[in-house]
Amino acid sequence: MTPSEAFVETLASYDVKDVFGIVGSSFMDALDIFPAAGIRFIATAHEQGAGHMADGYARASERHGVCIAQNGPGITNFVTSVAAAYWAHTPVVVVTPETGSTTMGLGGFQETEQLPIFSKITKYQAHVTEPARLAELTSRCFEMAAAERGPTQLNIPRNHFYGEVDIDIPEPLHLRSPAGDPDSLAQAADMIAGAKFPVIISGGGVVMSDGVESVRALAEKLTAPVATSYLHNDAFPASHPLWTGPLGYQGSKASMKLLSKADVVIAVGTRLGPFGTLPQYGIDYWPEHAKVIQIDSDHKVLGLVKKLSIGICGDAKVAAEGLASLLENRNLACLANLEERQREISRQKEAWESELDDWTHEQDEWSLAAISESDFKMHPRQALRALERAMPSNAMVSTDIGNICSVSNSYLRFEKARSMFAAMSFGNCGYAFPAIIGAKVAAPDRPAIAYVGDGAWGMSFGEILTCVREAIPVTAVVFNNQQWGAEKKNQVDYYGNRFVGSNLVNPDWTEVARSMGAEGIAVENHEAAGEALEKACDAQRHGKTTIIEMRVSRELGDPFRRDALRKPVRYLEKYKDFVHHS
Ligand SMILES: Cc1ncc(C[n+]2csc(CCOP(=O)(O)OP(=O)(O)O)c2C)c(N)n1
Ligand SMILES: [Mg+2]
């Protein structure tokens, strides 16, 4: 067979059904036979979109995401999306055809060294040194992406698609993650049995291992409250009495207050990332004196951020099941104060819900002025509450990076895993819309909704073209506050309301949507938000993509990074006024 055939057959062997990218001569010889191999090539508007789609696709399913593009500029366009997938721990195989090996270094066309660019944002990189190794290294990239949970790069000098090879097509290995060392599990079970106020943190690893049921069983055995880790709101069902909501920025005060009381923290499938455990609302909730049991399939994150008592390197689901079975028929200290703890859980949850109900808008000086001066009057929090109430029960929601998307963390609740696809720790604006398009391809029967700020929308709305051309119906909820709000918030808090670069002038986004072949709905009042969302989700069933433009005031919620900013200091005379007057 030819190397192109070997490559495509290996994709098929790994059950690849969809590949995202933009057409290019460097891989056309393989692309030509994608359809015959049962592989759909989804042509995107930008390669960054293709990378995010592959990410969203993998996060919504248990499959690999795959993307491919033209050597040189097509590949450099992937960079941000690969970094995002790296920090979302998503198994994406990034196929990067490169300048031909016979001319590399001569400074021909579309030439750059493609391995160094991705070296810090991939879990594994394969360079195809000769055509005979193309299938083998393709397979390696699939195995490593799954085992290491992150993107891998398959770099292919473009001439290596041609020729003849005599090889066997590799088969998937179906490797399993470690179950957790038995001694560590036994020690952890002893520690949990002695706990008086155990609290569980359920993280992304629980979602990825399909371990929600196992964590639920463990929680019920202990009647332990379950907080979800930052931006993994789908790691525990929100209707469960032990669910307390998300930790981290704009998370649940109920979770934070309950966690602060813990004597033993059971952190399952979470790296306890530093940003996701920062104090919020002035509550420094991390229980410094508690014993911490951390379970993660990646040994490199155990004890990395938070001091721990027992680290268990293992699959979240299998290890949670292991703990639950070791606790079977044991005397549990926490059952002595069971009712007291149950009352406390309910009390904290009710307090937070009623605080959210009353928290219709922001109250700080800037926000109050902005509300009265803004052209648009709708309050983001009220709009988010209304959307929450109208959210279809099996919806998938992606969220972008921005002030309003961050505030949405308090209002996004899910019943099942693989439902929330936030831009994770890489934190790039422009993630949510393409990610939800990929998720929709993986789960076409589920309503797919992206929350996006107007600034981030400007970066990503081009992918409406992909929705229309490829018939992938989704809903984008665009929060038009006419500003790069999250960054403006820093200018309010630190830079004396000097707004350099943070105001936006927007077109009518509903007209833009319509002219691109989608529907557009403008919402100016939170009471209309729910109906608009229902209509848009319904339109998905008829193949239509809808952009809901939420015209909201310029008020702003708490900032991202109080931890990382300082009040400005100026020594030069000409800049002396550029300080913070408060
Ligand atoms: C690619 C990228 N560029 C810049 C930033 C810095 N940044 C973080 S939030 C933000 C503002 C987002 O504005 P918008 O999308 O309108 O949402 P809003 O904050 O107004 O709700 C910016 C520019 C980023 N995170 N990612
Ligand atoms: Mg904005």
Side-chain angles (χ1 to χ4, degrees):
M1 66 188 99
T2 68
S4 281
E5 289 169 319
F7 168 64
V8 174
E9 281 293 297
T10 307
L11 295 182
S13 164
Y14 278 83
D15 202 27
V16 172
K17 301 272 183 238
D18 303 279
V19 173
F20 301 88
I22 291 184
V23 63
S25 61
S26 59
F27 60 98
M28 201 165 273
D29 196 63
L31 179 68
D32 185 46
I33 56 175
F34 274 19
I39 299 169
R40 177 183 178 193
F41 181 71
I42 295 168
T44 66
H46 191 288
E47 287 86 355
Q48 181 184 338
H52 290 319
M53 287 178 212
D55 184 351
Y57 179 93
R59 291 179 72 181
S61 60
E62 284 161 75
R63 316 172 71 88
H64 287 82
V66 184
C67 55
I68 192 166
Q70 176 72 344
N71 60 283
I75 303 310
T76 53
N77 273 356
F78 273 151
V79 171
T80 298
S81 59
V82 177
Y86 182 86
W87 285 108
H89 317 288
T90 312
V92 173
V93 176
V94 186
V95 185
T96 63
E98 193 177 63
T99 300
S101 62
T102 52
T103 57
M104 188 71 178
L106 298 182
F109 190 52
Q110 298 176 327
E111 178 179 320
T112 187
E113 274 189 59
Q114 295 178 177
L115 290 168
I117 294 171
F118 294 91
S119 65
K120 299 291 182 188
I121 49 175
T122 47
K123 295 286 185 179
Y124 171 78
Q125 296 177 293
H127 181 69
V128 178
T129 47
E130 53 184 306
R133 297 196 63 189
L134 180 48
E136 169 211 335
L137 292 170
T138 303
S139 146
R140 198 74 201 135
C141 283
F142 277 82
E143 296 297 340
M144 293 296 280
E148 302 258 323
R149 291 228 57 95
T152 57
Q153 182 184 7
L154 177 64
N155 200 50
I156 315 169
R158 54 186 291 169
N159 51 315
H160 290 347
F161 283 102
Y162 303 114
E164 273 174 39
V165 296
D166 181 8
I167 52 124
D168 293 329
I169 297 299
E171 298 279 342
L173 298 177
H174 301 297
L175 298 176
R176 305 296 299 264
S177 302
D181 164 62
D183 289 344
S184 312
L185 284 168
Q187 274 174 33
D190 288 345
M191 191 174 278
I192 295 167
K196 295 197 175 62
F197 204 106
V199 175
I200 296 175
I201 302 175
S202 185
V206 174
V207 173
M208 293 164 201
S209 65
D210 285 322
V212 174
E213 280 306 301
S214 315
V215 170
R216 189 166 71 101
L218 180 64
E220 286 174 358
K221 190 172 291 292
L222 304 167
T223 315
V226 182
T228 49
S229 73
Y230 182 53
L231 298 180
H232 289 294
N233 301 22
D234 55 350
F236 204 70
S239 62
H240 195 283
L242 295 172
W243 169 89
T244 62
L247 289 174
Y249 182 39
Q250 297 290 358
S252 153
K253 283 190 188 173
S255 280
M256 295 172 198
K257 289 186 178 162
L258 289 161
L259 180 59
S260 71
K261 293 179 197 296
D263 63 342
V264 173
V265 178
I266 311 165
V268 191
T270 168
R271 67 190 177 95
L272 297 172
F275 186 68
T277 50
L278 282 175
Q280 301 296 330
Y281 313 109
I283 316 172
D284 194 355
Y285 56 84
W286 189 259
E288 287 300 337
H289 301 294
K291 293 172 181 144
V292 178
I293 298 163
Q294 187 188 8
I295 301 169
D296 202 286
S297 63
D298 180 0
H299 66 91
K300 295 188 288 299
V301 303
L302 293 171
L304 179 66
V305 180
K306 295 292 182 199
K307 201 172 92 202
L308 57 79
S309 312
I310 301 174
I312 299 170
C313 180
D315 178 84
K317 175 190 165 83
V318 183
E321 283 165 2
L323 282 179
S325 72
L326 287 166
L327 291 167
E328 206 67 58
N329 303 322
R330 293 231 0 204
N331 248 338
L332 301 174
C334 67
L335 297 186
N337 61 359
L338 175 72
E339 280 166 19
E340 196 185 312
R341 289 187 302 117
Q342 270 171 329
R343 270 197 306 277
E344 183 60 12
I345 294 168
S346 308
R347 201 173 66 83
Q348 292 296 353
K349 282 174 69 166
E350 281 159 23
W352 176 232
E353 282 318 308
S354 74
E355 185 172 345
L356 280 181
D357 283 337
D358 295 343
W359 198 348
T360 52
H361 61 81
E362 306 301 345
Q363 303 282 359
D364 59 289
E365 194 187 335
W366 152 265
S367 291
L368 292 175
I371 290 164
S372 68
E373 288 158 22
S374 296
D375 314 336
F376 306 144
K377 297 294 175 201
M378 181 162 53
H379 300 305
R381 282 186 179 271
Q382 275 185 315
L384 290 165
R385 197 62 155 170
L387 291 169
E388 175 202 338
R389 299 219 159 103
M391 191 64 72
S393 63
N394 61 338
M396 304 184 284
V397 183
S398 66
T399 59
D400 220 283
I401 294 294
N403 193 269
I404 298 172
C405 282
S406 299
V407 172
S408 79
N409 193 26
S410 283
Y411 304 91
L412 287 172
R413 292 107 192 263
F414 301 95
E415 289 307 308
K416 61 180 192 185
R418 299 188 187 279
S419 295
M420 181 173 179
F421 316 114
M424 304 304 293
S425 308
F426 193 57
N428 65 298
C429 290
Y431 178 89
F433 186 50
I436 206 68
I437 298 171
K440 182 73 176 180
V441 175
D445 296 332
R446 298 181 64 188
I449 300 154
Y451 281 9
V452 191
D454 52 347
W457 185 242
M459 290 183 186
S460 52
F461 76 95
E463 296 300 346
I464 292 176
L465 297 173
T466 306
C467 297
V468 173
R469 290 169 181 157
E470 296 280 339
I472 307 168
V474 301
T475 299
V477 179
V478 178
F479 296 96
N480 180 359
N481 60 1
Q482 305 179 76
Q483 59 193 355
W484 295 100
E487 296 300 354
K488 179 182 268 190
K489 177 67 177 158
N490 295 320
Q491 294 170 328
V492 172
D493 287 352
Y494 294 87
Y495 296 96
N497 292 6
R498 292 184 294 278
F499 298 132
V500 183
S502 52
N503 284 324
L504 286 168
V505 175
N506 288 318
D508 180 327
W509 287 118
T510 65
E511 274 178 30
V512 172
R514 282 190 283 271
S515 72
M516 293 172 82
E519 297 288 349
I521 306 177
V523 175
E524 311 222 350
N525 181 326
H526 72 271
E527 279 152 7
E531 199 188 313
L533 185 66
E534 279 158 19
K535 201 166 158 200
C537 290
D538 194 52
Q540 288 186 31
R541 283 203 290 276
H542 304 104
K544 265 285 185 188
T545 289
T546 308
I547 310 317
I548 303 177
E549 183 187 333
M550 305 285 284
R551 297 180 175 161
V552 291
S553 88
R554 287 179 147 172
E555 66 197 270
L556 289 165
D558 268 4
F560 263 99
R561 302 291 323 252
R562 279 208 181 94
D563 64 306
L565 279 133
R566 296 186 193 172
K567 297 276 184 216
V569 175
R570 313 293 178 201
Y571 293 118
L572 300 183
E573 186 58 23
K574 68 194 268 208
Y575 303 126
K576 75 175 181 349
D577 291 335
F578 290 76
V579 290
H580 187 77
H581 309 279
S582 63

